[in-house]
Amino acid sequence: MANQYAVIGLGRFGISIAAKLFESGQEVLGVDMNEERVEESHPYVTHSVIADSTDAEALKAIGIRNFDTVVVAIGSDIQASILSVLLVKELGVKNVIAKAINKLHGQVLRKVGADWVVYPERDMGIRVAHHLLSPNVLNFIEISKDHSVEEVKIPSKMVNKTLREIDFRAKYNLSVIAIRNDNEINITPSPDQRIVQGDVLVVIGENKDLERFSKIG
Ligand code: ATP
């Protein structure tokens, strides 16, 4: 069964979350106090309503507590963002995700009950800088403070060698969890798989080892 999502605040951030969920077959309610934003959202959501999310009665009227997950995507009006998260949590929503525009805003959102605080500008900035510093790294996910999973373009000196020949794990202290090429992905690469031009390795390991590996030409 599809999950029920509500996205409060249909700016660029909110609408991109709503549209992706909707495209993936989920039920999405869009909420904004701005009538124009609500009208523009129609192609991207199941329903949308005009409401002020700092008004508890309005949230009750929408039946907000029936949603599995509520995203509060209000940024610049910090007071409205905080109050909305507080009310949505008080009305009993289990999973509330909120956008913060800075650290202090994020800390307050956690205090009033947000289950997950996201910092889109900060995180995107970090990703862009990361990519500039390590152009071979196409994508990464931090899995702890010191460990990540990265998609790395294959260094040219490894082309036409097998993982065994490269002695990958011993030499780089990293594990290859998948090898991707165009539209194909092999999620159980054998040590004898030969790496070809254009392959992308999905590797897991310590950040310091990943950094060393991504600098190989
Ligand atoms: P983005 O950066 O995502 O494009 P934005 O720059 O339009 O957002 P924000 O202030 O973050 O500006 O507002 C996002 C949306 O949240 C706006 O469409 C705004 O109308 C809506 N919004 C702000 N306050 C409330 C509120 N109390 N209730 C409902 N919607 C609100």
Side-chain angles (χ1 to χ4, degrees):
M1 208 184 81
N3 276 319
Q4 305 257 0
Y5 294 92
V7 176
I8 300 175
L10 301 171
R12 290 158 299 180
F13 182 65
I15 207 74
S16 66
I17 296 174
K20 185 71 199 171
L21 292 168
F22 182 57
E23 248 176 61
S24 310
Q26 307 298 313
E27 300 236 337
V28 185
L29 173 74
V31 182
D32 204 294
M33 64 181 185
N34 179 320
E35 188 179 347
E36 220 172 291
R37 289 268 163 104
V38 168
E39 266 168 30
E40 284 165 6
S41 75
H42 285 152
Y44 310 109
V45 294
T46 321
H47 300 288
S48 44
V49 293
I50 305 168
D52 178 351
S53 57
T54 63
D55 175 354
E57 293 311 314
L59 290 175
K60 280 188 205 158
I62 299 170
I64 204 79
R65 66 182 188 82
N66 300 319
F67 289 84
D68 306 302
T69 298
V70 173
V71 180
V72 177
I74 302 171
S76 37
D77 188 345
I78 293 185
Q79 194 174 325
S81 140
I82 294 166
L83 195 49
S84 303
V85 169
L86 179 81
L87 290 174
V88 170
K89 278 312 282 184
E90 274 189 349
L91 290 169
V93 176
K94 287 250 155 37
N95 194 24
V96 176
I97 298 155
K99 158 180 161 168
I101 57 167
N102 59 45
K103 200 167 164 203
L104 185 60
H105 182 196
Q107 283 170 342
V108 178
L109 290 173
R110 290 288 301 176
K111 278 258 152 48
V112 296
D115 300 279
W116 180 21
V117 176
V118 292
Y119 301 81
E121 284 91 357
R122 184 201 67 178
D123 291 353
M124 198 61 208
I126 292 171
R127 292 192 102 74
V128 171
H130 199 279
H131 185 67
L132 292 173
L133 293 169
S134 312
N136 291 336
V137 179
L138 303 176
N139 216 338
F140 70 96
I141 312 170
E142 277 178 13
I143 50 175
S144 82
K145 193 166 66 60
D146 299 318
H147 299 81
S148 304
V149 176
E150 286 190 352
E151 282 187 334
V152 189
K153 280 194 225 163
I154 187 77
S156 50
K157 69 175 188 183
M158 292 183 188
V159 172
N160 289 328
K161 293 194 172 148
T162 65
L163 293 175
R164 198 193 298 277
E165 283 162 1
I166 298 166
D167 200 10
F168 206 92
R169 200 175 303 219
K171 205 154 176 187
Y172 301 105
N173 199 27
L174 299 169
S175 297
V176 177
I177 53 177
I179 300 179
R180 192 161 63 73
N181 203 324
D182 294 329
N183 296 324
E184 264 177 65
I185 182 155
N186 178 357
I187 54 163
T188 47
S190 99
D192 296 315
Q193 174 157 352
R194 203 161 285 284
I195 287 166
V196 296
Q197 188 72 42
D199 273 355
V200 170
L201 301 182
V202 184
V203 287
I204 185 166
E206 276 192 52
N207 292 341
K208 63 173 173 41
D209 297 321
L210 286 164
E211 198 179 330
R212 190 163 63 93
F213 178 66
S214 68
K215 297 279 186 297
I216 300 171

